[in-house]
Amino acid sequence: MNSIFNPEKIKFTEKITVFIKKDILLVIALTLAIVSSFFSMPKLEYIDFKVLVLLFNLMLIVAAFKRLKVLDCFATSLLSKCTSHRSICFTLIFLTFFSSMIVTNDVALITFVPLTLVIGKKIKINPFKIIIFQTIAANLGSSLTPMGNPQNLFIYSFFKVSPLEFFKITIPLVVLSTLFLIAIIFKSKNKPYSFTVETIKISNLKEFAIYLILLLIILLSVFHVIDYKITFIFTISTVFFLNKKLFKLVDYSLLLTFICFFIFIGNISSMDYIKNIMETILSSSKSTYFSSIIVSQGISNVPATMLISGFTPYYKELLLGVNIGGLGTLIASLASVISYKLYIKEYPESSKYFLKSFTLYNLCGLLILVPLIYFINKI
């Protein structure tokens, strides 16, 4: 009887539960990889090491920028000039929108949502709407560039899309997204506000300059100007000498999740029965576009991308579908979960209202963007 209530066993169980809750996507990906490996032999060639290396490089630079408070510096300097509700909205939402194009939607939200919560307390408002709009901005703004979010980087590498072709696909979506964000900002009431915000300075300008140059080199490797292997060696060498602690800040669970999905997709792609079914479902540009939007609602757009990519040649429709598909449900983009968790930590009593409003605005975005992008691109 005593062994049943062993404190060590209880602690171990609690740790497992916390791990599952924290990295549910990794747990699902790992399970799928293991189960599918019983039916098909996994191969090393299934893993796209280029995507993993590019992600790793970008994560290191983003970690450096966070430590140096680069984004916080720009944000506080702009917010100090704001004198109304609308100007605050514009600043916070479009800071998130444009920064997500470089540092990814996740990092943009992790950086700017806490700042929004602080500003909300200063001007004595519940900032749930601003945070919802920031989340939409991060998910749509990140769609512009290959490095804006993981699904873009995967599609860009997997289908060997040229930089010019990539931007031809994403620019119309981002233009429409900008207009949509401006419209919902102007729809909100405008009030004058007076507040002070602590000015944050970049902690080490010399290091910032080095990391900025390193970011440019990494971007050149993303756009095929420099070999990604050379950039990888140069990046880890530079970070090792400047600040080894940055290696601890890399999201290794995301990299491992990608590896597991690579194995799972590779395994099921080699099963003729499943392959034939999936290729039949995704046999047209139209079905790829709508399937990627629908599947994203249930499993989020990153795994949806990796699942669909192995069975369709229509990368343009997949790229558009999974980025628009980041709108909708809370889990359609895992970046949205970040905003939700940060908000309910400060306002736990408003969680249901936040979800209701979040879903309403996201559905509005879907209803507007899905048909417009469909007809503009003649899918």
Side-chain angles (χ1 to χ4, degrees):
M1 284 291 289
N2 290 336
S3 61
I4 296 175
F5 299 101
N6 189 322
E8 289 184 5
K9 285 187 176 182
I10 294 171
K11 284 182 180 179
F12 178 74
T13 305
E14 287 177 351
K15 286 180 180 178
I16 294 293
T17 305
V18 170
F19 172 76
I20 291 172
K21 286 181 178 179
K22 185 181 177 183
D23 289 301
I24 185 66
L25 190 59
L26 172 58
V27 172
I28 293 169
L30 182 61
T31 303
L32 291 172
I34 293 170
V35 172
S36 62
S37 294
F38 284 109
F39 300 94
S40 179
M41 182 63 69
K43 297 177 183 177
L44 190 63
E45 64 195 52
Y46 293 157
I47 301 172
D48 190 333
F49 287 100
K50 183 179 180 181
V51 170
L52 297 175
V53 167
L54 291 175
L55 266 176
F56 181 80
N57 288 343
L58 289 166
M59 285 177 184
L60 278 174
I61 295 302
V62 167
F65 282 177
K66 282 177 69 178
R67 191 184 68 83
L68 295 171
K69 300 187 181 296
V70 175
L71 294 176
D72 302 82
C73 173
F74 286 114
T76 53
S77 62
L78 288 171
L79 282 167
S80 63
K81 298 176 177 63
C82 294
T83 57
S84 67
H85 184 268
R86 198 166 286 163
S87 62
I88 293 168
C89 286
F90 261 103
T91 301
L92 289 168
I93 291 164
F94 279 100
L95 266 174
T96 309
F97 184 71
F98 289 113
S99 64
S100 69
M101 299 173 184
I102 303 296
V103 299
T104 75
N105 49 357
D106 293 35
V107 173
L109 291 171
I110 289 169
T111 303
F112 295 122
V113 168
L115 189 57
T116 303
L117 290 165
V118 171
I119 297 297
K121 289 189 183 299
K122 283 182 177 290
I123 60 178
K124 297 178 182 178
I125 64 163
N126 185 329
F128 74 97
K129 269 192 181 181
I130 301 176
I131 292 171
I132 290 169
F133 298 164
Q134 280 180 293
T135 309
I136 293 171
N139 288 326
L140 292 174
S142 65
S143 65
L144 178 67
T145 62
M147 57 280 180
N149 53 53
Q151 69 266 21
N152 278 13
L153 194 58
F154 175 78
I155 292 170
Y156 179 73
S157 177
F158 184 82
F159 291 100
K160 296 179 173 59
V161 186
S162 71
L164 183 61
E165 176 64 17
F166 190 94
F167 286 114
K168 277 184 179 178
I169 297 168
T170 59
I171 284 173
L173 172 58
V174 172
V175 170
L176 288 173
S177 301
T178 304
L179 296 174
F180 173 66
L181 288 169
I182 290 171
I184 58 177
I185 290 171
F186 270 100
K187 190 177 178 293
S188 58
K189 292 180 180 179
N190 196 25
K191 293 180 181 179
Y193 283 115
S194 177
F195 66 96
T196 56
V197 60
E198 183 186 351
T199 304
I200 297 173
K201 294 183 179 181
I202 296 172
S203 57
N204 189 319
L205 287 173
K206 186 179 177 181
E207 276 192 31
F208 169 62
I210 294 170
Y211 285 124
L212 190 60
I213 293 168
L214 191 55
L215 173 62
L216 293 173
I217 293 169
I218 291 169
L219 293 181
L220 288 174
S221 72
V222 171
F223 294 118
H224 313 310
V225 177
I226 301 175
D227 190 296
Y228 75 96
K229 295 172 189 172
I230 295 171
T231 305
F232 176 60
I233 295 168
F234 187 70
T235 301
I236 59 174
S237 301
T238 305
V239 173
F240 182 82
F241 286 110
L242 283 178
N243 189 349
K244 288 180 280 190
K245 291 180 180 179
L246 293 178
F247 288 109
K248 295 180 181 179
L249 303 178
V250 171
D251 188 354
Y252 293 103
S253 67
L254 178 61
L255 296 175
L256 187 55
T257 300
F258 262 72
I259 292 170
C260 292
F261 272 122
F262 283 138
I263 293 169
F264 169 64
I265 300 303
N267 287 342
I268 64 171
S269 296
S270 64
M271 301 177 196
D272 291 335
Y273 178 70
I274 293 176
K275 186 178 181 181
N276 291 336
I277 293 173
M278 292 296 288
E279 286 180 346
T280 301
I281 294 171
L282 302 166
S283 60
S284 69
S285 58
K286 182 179 178 180
S287 62
T288 299
Y289 177 68
F290 285 106
S291 294
S292 58
I293 294 169
I294 293 166
V295 174
S296 294
Q297 301 309 303
I299 65 173
S300 89
N301 49 11
V302 174
T305 302
M306 301 184 78
L307 176 63
I308 294 171
S309 61
F311 306 102
T312 180
Y314 301 105
Y315 63 84
K316 175 183 177 181
E317 290 73 19
L318 176 61
L319 179 61
L320 292 169
V322 292
N323 277 296
I324 297 170
L327 301 178
T329 64
L330 184 67
I331 62 167
S333 169
L334 292 179
S336 302
V337 180
I338 293 171
S339 297
Y340 175 71
K341 286 182 177 179
L342 289 169
Y343 175 79
I344 63 168
K345 188 177 179 182
E346 292 293 325
Y347 298 93
E349 72 285 352
S350 301
S351 60
K352 288 183 180 178
Y353 190 68
F354 180 91
L355 277 174
K356 184 180 175 181
S357 298
F358 176 89
T359 305
L360 177 64
Y361 280 106
N362 273 262
L363 287 176
C364 285
L366 276 178
L367 289 172
I368 292 168
L369 292 176
V370 170
L372 281 176
I373 292 297
Y374 179 83
F375 288 114
I376 287 172
N377 289 276
K378 298 177 182 177
I379 296 170

